[in-house]
Amino acid sequence: GPLLAFAGAANRSAYFCGSRSSAAHICGANCTSSAVSKKNGGAAWLGTEFLGSALTSSLAAKKTGDEAANGLKVERAVCTMVFAGAGKSNATDAAKEALLAAIRPSRIGRDAVINTAMRDRIDAAIRAVEACNTSQDPLNDPNLSTRWKLIYTDSEEILGTKRPRGFRPNDEIYQTIDASNGKAKNEETVPLFGVLNVLNSVEATIRTEPPRRVQVKFEQFGIGGALKVKAPPSARGWLDITYLDRDMRISRGNKNHVFVLVRDD
């Protein structure tokens, strides 16, 4: 059941600062008193250093205050500050562009698993996009219910990096969410020994817990599009939606992994 890992990612309480509580680590690196931006492949690129020290008191307020109000204001301020020099009128677009540029050479995360520097750059870019989140109620956001394509994860279960070579999935990994009916479905395609494409899936029921958590109970696994196997009662997990708009979603959950998905049109 590697698709179970879609319900696994980093602890919600640390979704913004990672495992560190200091504002100096929002970007995933030690910060100085300057914001850095550069160009990479024509895209505005996030520098790993910016005015983190100036945000210490604000982030402390975020942790102790009302998250929906105080937290969103702090994150938005961080977003605008980091990309102030990116030459973009819209800081969110600049952050997303930088994230896509960081992800592009990673093969949806496979190379980042073995390349610490690449993984750190992507993690910094992910946090910057999360800082730009404006969806205050993602569980009731109409953008949530759609078919999403996975473009990055650090979950080796999902990537299949430890499976035998002939059984590893390709890059066609999807997640469909139907929030109004409490249903979700994950799908992967495995080019069996590079010859036959096999579709595997897992169906789940979901229950929302405001403001950002989705509880997941897996119901049934599908193997090869034909064989159906009932999921065990222990097949459960949760996801926190840390960024959501019409064309991108970022989720973190209970297995210390992060997932970046784009709308599949």
Side-chain angles (χ1 to χ4, degrees), residues 23-42:
H25 297 288
I26 296 172
C27 288
N30 292 329
C31 294
T32 65
S33 59
S34 63
V36 180
S37 66
K38 62 181 180 180
K39 295 288 183 178
N40 186 344

Side-chain angles (χ1 to χ4, degrees), residues 1-237:
L3 286 169
L4 284 174
F6 254 124
N11 186 302
R12 172 65 190 91
S13 63
Y15 89 89
F16 182 62
C17 291
S19 60
R20 306 171 183 180
S21 59
S22 167
H25 297 288
I26 296 172
C27 288
N30 292 329
C31 294
T32 65
S33 59
S34 63
V36 180
S37 66
K38 62 181 180 180
K39 295 288 183 178
N40 186 344
W45 177 248
L46 168 67
T48 57
E49 300 179 325
F50 74 111
L51 298 172
S53 58
L55 295 170
T56 303
S57 60
S58 295
L59 284 173
K62 167 184 168 15
K63 293 175 66 178
T64 58
D66 177 70
E67 180 175 308
N70 298 337
L72 185 62
K73 290 178 182 178
V74 172
E75 292 172 7
R76 194 66 190 167
V78 172
C79 173
T80 303
M81 183 179 293
V82 171
F83 289 95
K88 291 279 188 177
S89 59
N90 189 317
T92 302
D93 287 346
K96 289 167 63 178
E97 188 175 321
L99 174 57
L100 293 174
I103 286 173
R104 196 167 294 121
S106 76
R107 295 191 306 135
I108 73 170
R110 293 184 179 92
D111 289 346
V113 167
I114 58 175
N115 185 327
T116 302
M118 177 183 287
R119 187 169 64 249
D120 288 348
R121 286 195 298 271
I122 294 172
D123 184 61
I126 288 172
R127 296 181 196 285
V129 174
E130 289 174 320
C132 296
N133 184 45
T134 58
S135 182
Q136 299 186 50
D137 188 11
L139 303 181
N140 291 309
D141 192 318
N143 289 316
L144 178 60
S145 292
T146 191
R147 189 171 192 244
W148 298 92
K149 179 178 173 61
L150 182 73
I151 61 170
Y152 177 81
T153 183
D154 56 3
S155 168
E156 293 192 65
E157 287 183 86
I158 288 290
L159 297 172
T161 55
K162 295 184 178 180
R163 300 188 215 173
R165 284 194 176 275
F167 296 90
R168 297 176 184 176
N170 59 20
D171 294 352
E172 301 301 308
I173 301 175
Y174 298 91
Q175 183 176 71
T176 302
I177 294 180
D178 181 357
S180 61
N181 291 309
K183 295 182 179 181
K185 183 177 183 179
N186 301 332
E187 299 171 286
E188 67 172 18
T189 299
V190 177
L192 199 60
F193 299 109
V195 178
L196 178 66
N197 284 338
V198 176
L199 179 66
N200 297 325
S201 64
V202 57
E203 297 177 13
T205 54
I206 58 176
R207 176 173 54 84
T208 58
E209 288 184 0
R212 301 186 182 191
R213 181 158 296 180
V214 178
Q215 293 287 347
V216 182
K217 181 180 183 297
F218 295 95
E219 303 290 352
Q220 180 176 266
F221 297 99
I223 302 172
L227 181 62
K228 304 293 184 181
V229 179
K230 186 176 181 179
S234 60
R236 298 171 180 267

